[in-house]
Amino acid sequence: MTQTLSARPLVVRTAAARRPAARGLLAGALVAGPLFLGAGVAQGLTRDGFDFTRNAISQLALGDSGWVQTANFLVTGVLVLAGAAGLRRTLREGPGGTCGPALIAVFGASFLAAGAFPADAGAGFPAGAPETAAMSTNGALHMAAGVAGYLALCAAFLVLARPLAARGHRAWALASRIAPAAVLTGFMASAASVLAFTVGAGLGLCWLAAVAARLLTDVRHEA
């Protein structure tokens, strides 16, 4: 009996100690999207020859100032991976507590791969680049990383609808089931407009940030 009574405060203290760490890590998923999009838009508006209707944000990693976008990819990847770890601590053994964070981790890793393997030049960017060019190995790996990452993110949204619903956030759960359709619609429309692809990718990053913010609020209330 004595051992049982003494163990309960220890469990409570351990759970309480996990919450600040979970909040700090989960904040990575909150910051990642706005940081990536903000840095990308700022570069796109200031880099010569870049046109959001013709060029993908990934192409900003090319040219003399390309290191800025490469760093943007890498920092975002690290933040998303931290967010995945925070999500695992937050959900623990509840619904989606294993699969959801794992899928978000795949999404984070895709940013690291995208930073390591830059996109191909084209559509006049960087300045002097041809309108079309044969796809290089780096370009193919960059594209593969993006496809794998965003498919994982869309799957994660579907998985995370379960813990959101379990916590009473039914509207959030519904939106999390709809978000993948919006992201994939943008991707499918990319053949007609690069801007549609950018919007679809941006929606995915923004919804990840929104879900992270919702769960962070829950963690603070549980503290």
Side-chain angles (χ1 to χ4, degrees):
M1 178 65 71
T2 302
Q3 289 179 345
T4 302
L5 292 175
S6 62
R8 290 179 63 187
L10 177 61
V11 171
V12 172
R13 286 197 299 270
T14 301
R18 279 201 302 259
R19 290 187 188 115
R23 289 199 299 267
L25 290 168
L26 190 55
L30 171 61
V31 172
L35 173 65
F36 183 82
L37 293 172
V41 170
Q43 292 176 82
L45 293 174
T46 56
R47 294 280 301 274
D48 290 339
F50 189 87
D51 183 345
F52 283 102
T53 65
R54 302 177 67 231
N55 304 114
I57 285 180
S58 294
Q59 290 181 293
L60 290 166
L62 305 172
D64 293 339
S65 301
W67 66 269
V68 177
Q69 181 59 20
T70 298
N72 193 22
F73 272 119
L74 299 179
V75 170
T76 300
V78 170
L79 288 172
V80 173
L81 288 172
L87 188 64
R88 181 71 184 92
R89 288 173 178 244
T90 299
L91 300 181
R92 297 189 288 277
E93 302 305 320
T98 299
C99 188
L103 290 166
I104 296 297
V106 172
F107 182 58
S110 75
F111 275 81
L112 299 182
F117 304 105
D120 289 324
F125 188 85
E131 287 297 313
T132 59
M135 184 176 290
S136 67
T137 300
N138 278 350
L141 290 171
H142 181 93
M143 182 177 293
V147 170
Y150 271 93
L151 286 177
L153 180 65
C154 288
F157 289 155
L158 296 176
V159 171
L160 293 175
R162 292 179 59 208
L164 287 169
R167 289 166 179 256
H169 309 309
R170 299 192 180 278
W172 284 78
L174 176 60
S176 199
R177 294 186 178 100
I178 295 173
V183 173
L184 294 176
T185 296
F187 279 31
M188 288 186 291
S190 62
S193 171
V194 173
L195 186 57
F197 172 84
T198 303
V199 170
L203 283 173
L205 286 165
C206 288
W207 186 245
L208 176 61
V211 170
R214 175 66 269 179
L215 293 175
L216 272 170
T217 301
D218 287 350
V219 173
R220 291 192 184 100
H221 289 164
E222 292 167 1

